[in-house]
Amino acid sequence: MAPPDLPLFERDREQAVLSAVIGELRSGRPALVTVTGEPGLGQNELLRWAAGQARDRGVHVLAARATSAEHELRYGVVAQLLAPEDRDIATRLFVAPQRPGGLPGLNHLLTACHDRPTLLVVQDVQWLDPASLRWLEALARRLPRAPLALLTSTTGTAIDRPEWSVGTPLTGLASTIELALPPLTTSGVSAAVRTVCGVPGDTDFTDALAQATRGVPAVVHEVLLRFTRTGCAPRAEHVEHLRALTAEVVGDHAAQALSELRDPVAVDVLRALAVCGDLLDFPLVCTLAGLHPVPEARLRATLMASGLLTPRDGSPPGHDAVVRARILEEMPAADRADLYARAARLAQRVAVADQGIAELLLRARPVGAPWAVATLRRGFAAALRSGRRDRATAYLARALDEPLRSEERARVELQLASVQMVTAPTAAERRLHGLIRSTGTGTGLRSQAVDLCLLGGDTRAARLAQPTGPGTLGDPAPCDADVPAPRRGSGTGSPPGRRARAVAGDATAPRGGNTSDPAHRDGSDEHPERTTTADNDATVSERHELIALLRVARFLRHEETCPGVPPAPALPEHSHSPAVAGVRAWEHAMAGVHLEASRRLARAAFAPDPGGRPPLVTPRLFACRALFLTDDGDEAEAHLATLLNEAHRQRAAIAIAHVLAVRADLHLRHGRPDAAARDLAAAEAELPPARLHPLFVPYWASLNLVADLQNGRPDRAREIAARPVPSLSEECATSAYLLFARGVLARSEDDPQRARAYFRACGRWLLHYGCVNPAVLPWRSLAAEAAHALGDDAEALRLTREEVRLAARWGTRSALGRAELGLAVVIRENRTEHFRAAVATLSESPARTDYTRAVLELASAESAEAERRTALALTSRRASTAGGVAPGPLPGFSQALPAPAGVPPGRGAAPHPRPPAGWPALSPAEHETALLAASGLANREIATTLSVTTRAVELRLSGVYRKLRIRGREELRALRYGPEGG
């Protein structure tokens, strides 16, 4: 209850009514006044104030208070009222036998009232015992004949509601008044803060107090008393502390009310309501509490009278979360878990929503029924859809407490770990390691566990999956032959030396380079009957998948230099596993050999597994990256869309994030930095950077850096480049991407010394991991351009010629065209012819930005020879033959065009003209369009080259003219080429 000195804030209207009633009572006019409201609103304080006012005016006052402890005590309240008039009344009322129709002391009281006006004050009439209730109702019927007023208080719903409180004809001519007390308004709460704390409170503090206490004066007063004891001022910075104190006070009030509730049936119903009152209606809650003879209406009234329940918009009573928690804390743990289990069963029988039942099951003991696990898994999916990952993991963790078959348990563990990889990666790794070590795991689950570990950056898991004994992952012989030779004398098995055929598109030539078997040439298996039965065995398929994943782990992080770590085995040359096909495609692409085989293998990685095993994510991601390098970006984008849809269906946040990151890489390669930025933002929403494993930090940072650079945000790019990376990040292959990106940034800032250092470091790192293909990252040509700018022509020519040789060996038009462009930039002899060769090669590739740069470089070179017609003819030929195919930029990154374009400065080369004023203010798109327009291309030709509309070109040129303060193309051409432009 509220302290006695609780100020009566915002009770002026009620005080005026009571003062008027007291004044009329002195004139001989009787009245019945009932003050109602929720517990804590100050009903009893208002009655005590009225009693004091009556005494001051000479009115005789008789007071009593009903309590739940005395609810069964006959005439308990009557004894309190009449004790001042008759000291022996209590003995007669409690001991003497009750006479039918008897109303002890009533006539004496009425007689005495004629001599002096009397005010009867009865607090908490909701707890009146039945005898006292009848006595007071009889008094109310007799009020018109005596100068007597009855003033009562209640919490709103009495167990047996007095008839006088509703204004029945029983009261005759007496005034019947009901005063419903409202909660305090914000102004009232503000006044309470000023009164108790001594200083006005901040608006935020007052609003938070009003919201947390719901304006209940008793709670407001006690919270403020406790708050002032801490010595804090009522300021906004203490709002969280204020909320904690409020929860504590509300809980204490609930515990006090619960201790005063004597009815065991009411206590059971109250606990049942605390468990499932939001899910089940009141009759079902009573059923859950057990069989009892108490009527439902009486139970409801008892609970409402206790103040532990409040009506909400006419719906069944509900609990505050704090009150509910305090009610359940009073129960023994075993009884509480059993009550939740019984509530879950009842909710399941009446078809409550899955998440509601799942919430009950979270706190219940194991129920041992199949529906429980199914409900928890459906609740898990629903929680993920709403973005509540913590709740989703709680549902699946609870499902593991139920009795499950071993394979079903492993599937739940895997599903749980896929979410915990984002929320609790350490716990997910421990869970997955347990699955990997388990021998009873179902088909494909061990491989899926390793796959998930690799997405999380855990490369140790691939080693944990390595079996021991003959035919292990570390034994290359069984891997090459797929199956051991049959035992001597065995009548079954395949002939010695026979190997398994590959799935369609999965076969490659042997290491010698050729084979006479047609199946090896076209990648198909025309004789499926030759496939050995052992190849179809699940153990062999799992072994091949684990080998592929171990090769991925080796690429991500070299551990073979550590003592005691055996080298990763070679991939099986012939395997039905799509995972093997995907990883082999990537390894071919890294080595820069077998272009067609790499393309076929990458496509085979997306074929269904012949044994029906579930597909793995990591090998397919590497297959997509291999397709980037084979100039099949559109096909890779389609596969990435499939992977993304699959990850969304499975609610695998970590897989979604990695697929989005790889697609952002593709967007950058195709010259779409805005799309790349969107995918990167979506990936970080799924997997926050703070949760990203250090092995992947350099790759993601490099993508963000280049996307920001290309989207015209160099400041953010510099911030990313300067951001420190974890020490473990320096041990992984993805470090090369960040070094390359930093080199691109230094190149855009015209710092060749720093750019060459970064590109060289990138190259050393790639070579350390066995990557020689310039299609992965063209570090050689960019390092060569930096060396050329620094005057080191010998190094520049060596690097560019090496890149041309490696690109020719790989065989894609984009890689070769970029290499030829790099050579043309640094060579001095026949520069124009080299540019022409680069333009011709890139015109048949998807490298849009490189083709544009080559055209500009060729136009610049030809302008010195007055031969711009050749560049225009090549551009027109590109427009007529490309069919609008959107080309892509440098592999891995789209670079800013040099401003202005031309021959890079160096020995024997003409220096660049000084950029015109306003040139740095151009956006990348305007910059690119201005260079093409200055080179003599018409708007339609520019639109075709850039794969945009003619209207877009016109708008860009308008922006260029405005920023450069020129009038048209002639002035742009003059600014672009200068006096020596010809």
Side-chain angles (χ1 to χ4, degrees):
M1 298 302 298
D5 57 347
L6 177 69
L8 296 172
F9 293 112
E10 296 187 327
R11 298 294 181 252
D12 297 338
R13 181 182 68 88
E14 291 80 5
Q15 288 174 323
V17 170
L18 293 177
S19 294
V21 167
I22 295 171
E24 292 181 351
L25 179 60
R26 295 185 62 195
S27 301
R29 296 191 59 181
L32 281 169
V33 182
T34 304
V35 182
T36 65
E38 295 181 24
L41 290 180
Q43 300 94 313
N44 294 340
E45 285 70 22
L46 193 60
L47 263 63
R48 286 194 287 269
W49 175 87
Q53 291 291 313
R55 290 189 185 98
D56 292 342
R57 296 186 185 186
V59 175
H60 184 53
V61 178
L62 299 176
R65 180 183 179 186
T67 63
S68 60
E70 297 180 355
H71 176 63
E72 301 299 332
L73 180 62
R74 187 179 58 166
Y75 291 121
V77 169
V78 174
Q80 294 181 53
L81 285 172
L82 301 181
E85 303 294 326
D86 187 354
R87 295 183 179 180
D88 298 330
I89 189 69
T91 304
R92 296 198 303 272
L93 291 176
F94 300 153
V95 177
Q98 183 176 5
R99 293 179 297 171
L103 296 170
L106 180 58
N107 291 330
H108 182 270
L109 175 65
L110 292 173
T111 302
C113 289
H114 286 288
D115 297 330
R116 55 180 177 178
T118 302
L119 176 66
L120 270 63
V121 179
V122 181
Q123 301 177 21
D124 298 328
V125 295
Q126 71 270 12
W127 297 117
L128 280 174
D129 61 275
S132 295
L133 178 61
R134 290 193 303 271
W135 193 92
L136 288 173
E137 287 177 345
L139 173 66
R141 286 193 294 269
R142 293 166 172 78
L143 278 183
R145 292 175 288 174
L148 186 145
L150 177 60
L151 177 58
T152 63
S153 67
T154 177
T155 55
T157 303
I159 299 172
D160 293 311
R161 187 169 178 81
E163 295 185 9
W164 72 77
S165 63
V166 293
T168 66
L170 295 176
T171 59
L173 299 177
S175 300
T176 303
I177 302 171
E178 183 170 352
L179 300 176
L181 300 184
L184 295 179
T185 64
T186 304
S187 299
V189 173
S190 178
V193 172
R194 187 167 52 253
T195 301
V196 178
C197 298
V199 294
D202 285 352
T203 302
D204 291 342
F205 182 91
T206 303
D207 292 343
L209 179 61
Q211 182 181 9
T213 62
R214 296 187 295 128
V216 177
V219 179
V220 170
H221 190 250
E222 188 166 347
V223 168
L224 289 175
L225 287 177
R226 297 190 187 186
F227 182 80
T228 54
R229 293 192 194 108
T230 63
C232 299
R235 298 289 180 262
E237 57 266 25
H238 302 302
V239 166
E240 291 303 320
H241 177 52
L242 175 73
R243 290 192 176 117
L245 283 177
T246 304
E248 182 182 329
V249 170
V250 172
D252 290 345
H253 284 203
Q256 178 66 25
L258 186 61
S259 66
E260 294 175 355
L261 192 60
R262 306 295 180 178
D263 188 349
V265 176
V267 172
D268 290 341
V269 173
L270 185 65
R271 289 171 174 174
L273 275 170
V275 167
C276 57
D278 295 336
L279 300 175
L280 304 177
D281 56 18
F282 194 76
L284 286 174
V285 170
C286 294
T287 302
L288 178 63
L291 298 176
H292 50 78
V294 183
E296 177 186 323
R298 184 174 182 83
L299 278 173
R300 187 190 297 270
T302 301
L303 296 176
M304 296 288 288
S306 70
L308 294 170
L309 296 180
T310 55
R312 295 182 179 176
D313 301 327
S315 60
H319 290 67
D320 253 345
V322 175
V323 175
R324 181 180 310 202
R326 187 59 67 94
I327 291 171
L328 294 176
E329 285 174 4
E330 302 294 327
M331 296 182 65
D335 294 347
R336 185 168 58 245
D338 181 70
L339 179 59
Y340 271 108
R342 290 189 287 112
R345 288 196 188 95
L346 180 59
Q348 195 269 339
R349 286 201 298 271
V350 298
V352 172
D354 287 333
Q355 279 197 279
I357 303 175
E359 285 294 320
L360 295 175
L361 288 171
L362 277 182
R363 299 166 180 83
R365 58 169 173 75
V367 297
W371 60 263
V373 177
T375 301
L376 286 166
R377 296 184 76 172
R378 290 194 298 268
F380 160 80
L384 280 186
R385 283 194 298 271
S386 60
R388 302 168 61 207
R389 286 177 180 161
D390 292 340
R391 212 57 175 174
T393 56
Y395 290 152
L396 280 192
R398 171 61 183 83
L400 293 173
D401 294 336
E402 297 289 334
L404 296 169
R405 291 179 291 105
S406 59
E407 184 171 348
E408 186 180 9
R409 179 174 295 277
R411 292 187 184 280
V412 174
E413 292 263 12
L414 185 68
Q415 195 174 21
L416 176 57
S418 69
V419 181
Q420 285 183 327
M421 271 295 180
V422 177
T423 60
T426 304
E429 287 181 8
R430 287 198 301 266
R431 197 176 298 278
L432 291 172
H433 288 181
L435 285 177
I436 293 169
R437 292 190 182 99
S438 174
T439 57
T441 306
T443 303
L445 290 181
R446 293 182 71 221
S447 300
Q448 286 181 283
V450 177
D451 183 36
L452 191 54
C453 283
L454 289 178
L455 290 175
D458 177 18
T459 58
R460 298 171 300 163
R463 296 284 180 191
L464 290 177
Q466 182 173 352
T468 57
T472 66
L473 293 183
D475 185 5
C479 298
D480 289 340
D482 286 355
V483 293
R487 292 176 296 176
R488 181 176 300 177
S490 172
T492 60
S494 61
R498 176 170 294 179
R499 301 167 184 264
R501 301 293 183 183
V503 295
D506 190 42
T508 62
R511 294 173 184 172
N514 294 314
T515 178
S516 58
D517 191 342
H520 285 248
R521 290 195 299 270
D522 60 12
S524 64
D525 187 359
E526 299 181 4
H527 302 283
E529 67 277 4
R530 295 181 183 177
T531 304
T532 62
T533 56
D535 284 288
N536 294 324
D537 185 81
T539 303
V540 175
S541 298
E542 183 179 80
R543 179 155 50 89
H544 288 183
E545 288 178 345
L546 294 177
I547 292 173
L549 294 172
L550 185 57
R551 298 290 294 183
V552 171
R554 176 184 178 274
F555 168 74
L556 291 176
R557 183 184 181 191
H558 266 316
E559 294 179 329
E560 295 171 358
T561 56
C562 300
V565 177
L571 288 168
E573 291 188 7
H574 313 292
S575 173
H576 283 284
S577 173
V580 172
V583 177
R584 184 180 288 280
W586 173 250
E587 290 191 350
H588 283 338
M590 290 278 290
V593 294
H594 305 315
L595 172 65
E596 290 302 323
S598 179
R599 181 179 285 123
R600 288 197 303 269
L601 287 164
R603 291 168 178 166
F606 294 91
D609 187 89
R613 297 173 66 82
L616 305 179
V617 176
T618 306
R620 288 184 290 169
L621 282 178
F622 276 87
C624 287
R625 295 174 70 180
L627 288 174
F628 295 174
L629 307 183
T630 60
D631 282 356
D632 296 298
D634 292 339
E635 186 176 350
E637 189 168 6
H639 288 311
L640 286 172
T642 302
L643 278 172
L644 190 60
N645 291 335
E646 177 185 303
H648 275 297
R649 285 195 304 271
Q650 297 174 353
R651 310 291 174 187
I654 193 165
I656 293 172
H658 279 285
V659 173
L660 287 171
V662 173
R663 194 169 70 174
D665 191 349
L666 173 63
H667 287 319
L668 289 175
R669 292 172 184 269
H670 283 198
R672 299 190 292 264
D674 52 344
R678 288 194 297 271
D679 273 353
L680 288 170
E684 291 180 357
E686 295 288 340
L687 180 61
R691 297 288 189 183
L692 187 64
H693 194 278
L695 290 183
F696 300 115
V697 167
Y699 181 59
W700 285 43
S702 65
L703 296 176
N704 278 288
L705 190 157
V706 177
D708 285 336
L709 191 61
Q710 289 304 296
N711 284 315
R713 294 190 289 265
D715 293 340
R716 288 181 55 178
R718 294 187 194 97
E719 179 186 348
I720 295 173
R723 192 178 300 162
V725 296
S727 58
L728 184 59
S729 300
E730 301 174 358
E731 303 176 13
C732 62
T734 58
S735 296
Y737 287 85
L738 183 55
L739 292 169
F740 187 88
R742 287 171 173 168
V744 171
L745 178 62
R747 184 172 181 264
S748 70
E749 295 174 342
D750 198 19
D751 188 349
Q753 185 75 36
R754 190 160 52 94
R756 180 170 68 168
Y758 278 127
F759 290 134
R760 280 175 168 177
C762 168
R764 286 193 297 270
W765 207 246
L766 288 175
L767 294 176
H768 174 68
Y769 278 87
C771 177
V772 298
N773 191 349
V776 178
L777 292 174
W779 61 272
R780 296 175 181 84
S781 58
L782 296 184
E785 290 185 25
H788 181 60
L790 294 171
D792 193 347
D793 289 343
E795 181 185 3
L797 287 173
R798 178 182 63 80
L799 289 172
T800 52
R801 284 171 176 161
E802 182 181 5
E803 182 161 325
V804 168
R805 177 180 63 81
L806 294 173
R809 186 181 74 171
W810 176 235
T812 60
R813 306 295 291 179
S814 57
L816 182 58
R818 278 189 294 268
E820 290 174 343
L821 177 60
L823 179 61
V825 168
V826 303
I827 201 169
R828 285 185 293 176
E829 297 82 8
N830 299 322
R831 181 188 304 275
T832 303
E833 294 303 321
H834 283 291
F835 278 131
R836 288 195 182 104
V839 169
T841 303
L842 289 170
S843 67
E844 301 176 7
S845 78
R848 186 195 68 172
T849 301
D850 295 302
Y851 171 75
T852 303
R853 182 190 176 205
V855 170
L856 294 175
E857 295 283 6
L858 176 57
S860 178
E862 289 181 338
S863 66
E865 305 171 4
E867 293 179 1
R868 186 175 298 109
R869 294 179 182 176
T870 304
L872 297 179
L874 286 171
T875 302
S876 300
R877 188 181 314 146
R878 162 68 172 177
S880 62
T881 59
V885 176
L890 281 175
F893 308 102
S894 173
Q895 301 183 50
L897 292 173
V903 180
R907 292 182 298 176
H912 287 307
R914 180 180 298 276
W919 192 262
L922 300 183
S923 68
E926 291 172 340
H927 183 193
E928 187 178 41
T929 305
L931 292 176
L932 291 172
S935 300
L937 274 68
N939 285 1
R940 186 179 299 276
E941 293 173 321
I942 296 173
T944 303
T945 302
L946 299 180
S947 298
V948 296
T949 63
T950 305
R951 178 59 178 164
V953 174
E954 294 172 354
L955 293 175
R956 291 180 185 180
L957 288 177
S958 297
V960 170
Y961 300 154
R962 185 178 65 257
K963 293 178 181 179
L964 298 184
R965 298 182 179 180
I966 59 177
R967 297 182 180 179
R969 286 176 178 264
E970 291 302 323
E971 295 185 37
L972 179 64
R973 179 177 176 276
L975 289 175
R976 164 65 177 80
Y977 290 106
E980 71 277 10

